[in-house]
Each structure stands twice: as structure tokens, then as C-alpha cells.
Amino acid sequence: MTVQIIETRDIVTCRALRRTVFIDEQGVSEADEIDEFDDVALHLLATDNGVPVGCARVLIDGSSAKIGRVCVLKSYRGTGLGADLIRACLRTANNQSGVTRASLGAQTHALGFYEKLGFSAYGPVFDDAGIDHQAMEIEL
């Protein structure tokens, strides 16, 4: 496995990965998956020998970076790629002037994954596209 994670403007490829994971696998509606924030977000794309295998996006809002749309193809789950993607998002956020924290809405089954990366959960569990989530944050 030779995975590379880079910042990209290739929204078409990112949306294709997100379609596979969120719409096809998890049953999220296209209306919930695609939003106006793709145009202003920083996008990260993970490739293995040039083949897209995962992606994420980072939205900058003042001193906060919101990580979202994190997805990894099923065949790459459990390889550490998800953690690598989150660390790349945190580096991207940290490189933005004035950003001091990062947040995300974690699917509740993934809380432990994000806690291992230093995130702390806060607030109540909420529904996002029919899936239970909880807000999490980390200081940069």
C-alpha cells in the first residue's frame, strides 16, 4: 500500500468516493450529502498508487476548522488510513492563520476512533442524515 494524501480541487473524485460510502453504503440521501460548502472547503484526497481510496474536507470558520465528509473505501478500513486522513486534516487546519481548534460531528460508533486521535466529545447526541452523531473537538 502506497497511500498519498494531498490537498485537491478535484471535487468530482471526492464526491464519487462520498457517494460510495455515504449514499450507497450508509443510505444517506444525495440531498444531505451534497451541500454548498464543497465550494469553499479545503479538500484532501487519499490515493493508493494513484487510485482514489478516501477523502475529507476542512471548513475554516474564524478560529475553528470543521472536519467533515471523512470517508475511506471499505477495502481500506482498518489500515490506519482513516487516522492518517484525520491527522492530515489537522495539519491543514493548523496551517491556516488564526485557527486554534478543530471540530467534527462523529458517528457515535466512531467516538473511540476520534478519542484516540485526541478529540473530546461534547453536547448531546444528534441525528445527521438519519445517523446518530456527537460533536467532538480538539485544540490545535
Side-chain angles (χ1 to χ4, degrees):
M1 186 166 83
T2 310
V3 174
Q4 180 182 26
I5 300 172
I6 59 163
E7 199 169 315
T8 185
R9 284 270 149 230
D10 186 355
I11 305 302
V12 172
T13 297
C14 292
R15 282 187 174 160
L17 287 164
R18 290 166 23 190
R19 171 174 290 284
T20 298
V21 173
F22 299 129
I23 296 173
D24 298 344
E25 287 180 25
Q26 297 181 354
V28 172
S29 74
E30 188 167 326
D32 283 332
E33 204 293 302
I34 296 176
D35 63 23
E36 70 277 14
F37 298 114
D38 275 345
D39 294 337
V40 295
L42 303 169
H43 296 269
L44 298 175
L45 179 64
T47 58
D48 184 6
N49 291 313
V51 177
V53 295
C55 65
R57 75 178 187 189
V58 180
L59 284 166
I60 306 302
D61 184 13
S63 63
S64 184
K66 178 148 176 45
I67 298 169
R69 302 302 198 269
V70 179
C71 69
V72 172
L73 293 180
K74 193 179 283 186
S75 58
Y76 283 81
R77 293 179 201 151
T79 66
L81 177 56
D84 290 344
L85 257 174
I86 295 301
R87 285 190 283 268
C89 288
L90 293 173
R91 282 191 301 276
T92 296
N94 209 28
N95 287 336
Q96 307 306 307
S97 179
V99 174
T100 59
R101 70 184 276 278
S103 65
L104 53 82
Q107 293 183 8
T108 54
H109 72 84
L111 289 172
F113 167 79
Y114 290 109
E115 286 169 347
K116 287 179 187 166
L117 292 166
F119 285 83
S120 300
Y122 67 93
V125 171
F126 60 93
D127 178 286
D128 186 0
I131 301 169
D132 282 346
H133 283 70
Q134 189 163 19
M136 301 189 83
E137 67 183 350
I138 188 172
E139 297 300 318
L140 299 177

